[in-house]
Amino acid sequence: MAEEKPAVEVVKGVNGLDKVVLREVRGSSAEVYLYGGHVTSWKNDHGEELLFVSSKAIFKPPKAIRGGIPICFPQFGSHGTLEQHGFARNKLWSIDTDPPPFPVNSSGKAFVDLILKPSEEDAKLWPHSYEFRLRVTLGPGGDLMLTSRIRNTNNDGKAFSFTFAYHTYFSVSDISEVRVEGLETLDYLDNLQEKERFTEQGDAITFESEVDKIYLSTPSKIAIIDHEKKRTFVLRKDGLPDAVVWNPWDKKAKAMADFGDDEYKHMLCIEAAAVEKPITLKPGEEWKGRLELSAVPSSYCSGQLDPQKVLQG
Ligand SMILES: O=P(O)(O)OC[C@H]1O[C@H](O)[C@H](O)[C@@H](O)[C@@H]1O
């Protein structure tokens, strides 16, 4: 029998949109829609879905898919003059068949390279020439890695600036049973209080109402501990100093057409981001932003786990 290898396949997804399916030999998988360069599924080797996608998500341009990992570029949120979260999440990306070499060797792993370049229409809104390359890789142990490389290809000598986020929606058993470690004592901007700056207290973060905060200059490692599922997500990031934490809670959930009324209980967005200090690139310069996600079983009972072990281990 032929040796089993990681597989990469392009198939039709919801509404006939193209999606790339990555499969690893031990059974983990991931799916990436070309629409938005958007990861919509990440499953462990037991076939359990680790990302949240709304049952009401609209897989139809120009609406971004509600859930998974939308890419916010060249603007995060309303921090600028462009549409909310920029335009990358509602553009059709292409498969990049000949990407420039990566310093990291992806051989033996399932991965796909996507590329986004501006259309004439985009250039009217954001008058810059760029190449945005996204590599999505599934590691043999089921880890999911996203690497973005954004290059300024302006030939008018102009620099450009942007803000960015991997707007990751994690699937959780029950939001009130979840805690986030790694953001204690940090400064944050509160989107619910006109982006005013506050300092977080010393305890791990738990959830009992709407939250929409941008934690500034965070450590590169953040853990989401799902008490009920006995699962810990570990998020590692590079080139992305900030981390956005969002849960719409009941009222905002009801106000969103593409989100179920009770779905806020089963999701949490922790978004590796560069928001406070925009990235500036001169012509010919390239920026890189990396996100690595892993999901590990945790036999966590309140007070048993040393948070430092999760964050440093
Ligand atoms: O509804 P969307 O445009 O996808 O945005 C969803 C959310 O994204 C981020 O987390 C922002 O901080 C929130 O303010 C926003 O509500």
Side-chain angles (χ1 to χ4, degrees):
M1 221 172 73
E3 192 191 337
E4 271 195 87
K5 285 208 179 105
V8 181
E9 206 186 349
V10 185
V11 300
K12 293 286 175 205
V14 182
N15 291 335
L17 295 173
D18 285 327
K19 70 175 179 186
V20 182
V21 182
L22 307 176
R23 278 193 196 86
E24 261 303 331
V25 285
R26 283 186 229 157
S28 57
S29 65
E31 295 185 358
V32 192
Y33 272 72
L34 297 192
Y35 176 55
H38 196 135
V39 175
T40 54
S41 171
W42 170 39
K43 288 184 181 163
N44 63 15
D45 49 14
H46 301 296
E48 293 164 336
E49 183 57 68
L50 304 170
L51 296 177
F52 165 87
V53 174
S54 172
S55 61
K56 296 202 167 171
I58 300 162
F59 287 73
K60 212 177 190 180
K63 184 82 189 148
I65 300 164
R66 175 70 64 196
I69 314 182
I71 303 266
C72 304
F73 170 83
Q75 176 183 301
F76 174 78
S78 57
H79 294 245
T81 54
L82 298 175
E83 64 194 279
Q84 159 97 341
H85 292 326
F87 47 72
R89 64 176 180 163
N90 50 31
K91 295 289 168 212
L92 200 56
W93 294 53
S94 309
I95 293 180
D96 189 6
T97 48
D98 190 21
F102 262 83
V104 196
N105 188 358
S106 293
S107 65
K109 293 178 186 158
F111 69 93
V112 65
D113 286 294
L114 302 184
I115 185 162
L116 180 69
K117 290 185 195 177
S119 66
E120 271 174 34
E121 211 167 286
D122 301 339
K124 285 183 204 151
L125 296 167
W126 202 61
H128 298 294
S129 178
Y130 63 88
E131 288 172 357
F132 185 155
R133 290 191 163 81
L134 172 68
R135 175 171 286 189
V136 181
T137 307
L138 191 62
D143 292 358
L144 184 69
M145 286 152 283
L146 279 80
T147 306
S148 289
R149 297 185 290 178
I150 297 172
R151 178 175 290 278
N152 181 335
T153 53
N154 274 339
N155 48 27
D156 58 5
K158 284 193 185 136
F160 63 63
S161 297
F162 61 89
T163 49
F164 181 96
Y166 291 114
H167 196 308
T168 311
Y169 289 73
F170 292 94
S171 168
V172 298
S173 54
D174 176 352
I175 186 68
S176 48
E177 298 288 329
V178 165
R179 47 194 275 157
V180 174
E181 295 180 353
L183 303 175
E184 305 81 359
T185 70
L186 297 178
D187 279 7
Y188 63 88
L189 308 179
D190 195 339
N191 275 332
L192 301 178
Q193 299 191 62
E194 283 145 14
K195 303 189 174 88
E196 207 185 316
R197 193 176 179 122
F198 297 93
T199 303
E200 190 56 74
Q201 304 197 333
D203 300 330
I205 293 156
T206 53
F207 301 90
E208 51 194 26
S209 58
E210 182 183 2
V211 49
D212 189 354
K213 296 176 177 175
I214 303 163
Y215 288 88
L216 306 174
S217 304
T218 81
S220 59
K221 205 166 164 184
I222 298 168
I224 305 165
I225 297 155
D226 187 337
H227 180 51
E228 202 174 298
K229 262 261 152 69
K230 297 189 167 45
R231 175 186 290 149
T232 298
F233 290 109
V234 181
L235 182 158
R236 292 179 182 85
K237 60 193 179 75
D238 192 30
L240 296 159
D242 307 324
V244 183
V245 177
W246 181 60
N247 184 295
W249 223 255
D250 54 351
K251 259 200 224 123
K252 223 161 245 177
K254 285 204 178 87
M256 288 190 281
D258 59 346
F259 194 90
D261 289 359
D262 286 332
E263 286 182 330
Y264 73 93
K265 293 176 183 164
H266 307 297
M267 55 71 71
L268 175 63
C269 287
I270 305 282
E271 312 164 29
V275 180
E276 191 196 22
K277 297 185 187 107
I279 314 282
T280 299
L281 293 177
K282 293 191 193 113
E285 281 184 341
E286 185 177 85
W287 168 86
K288 198 150 77 179
R290 216 166 155 270
L291 172 67
E292 195 177 319
L293 303 177
S294 47
V296 292
S298 61
S299 48
Y300 178 75
C301 287
S302 189
Q304 275 183 4
L305 184 76
D306 176 359
Q308 291 313 315
K309 273 190 200 147
V310 175
L311 295 171
Q312 285 159 15

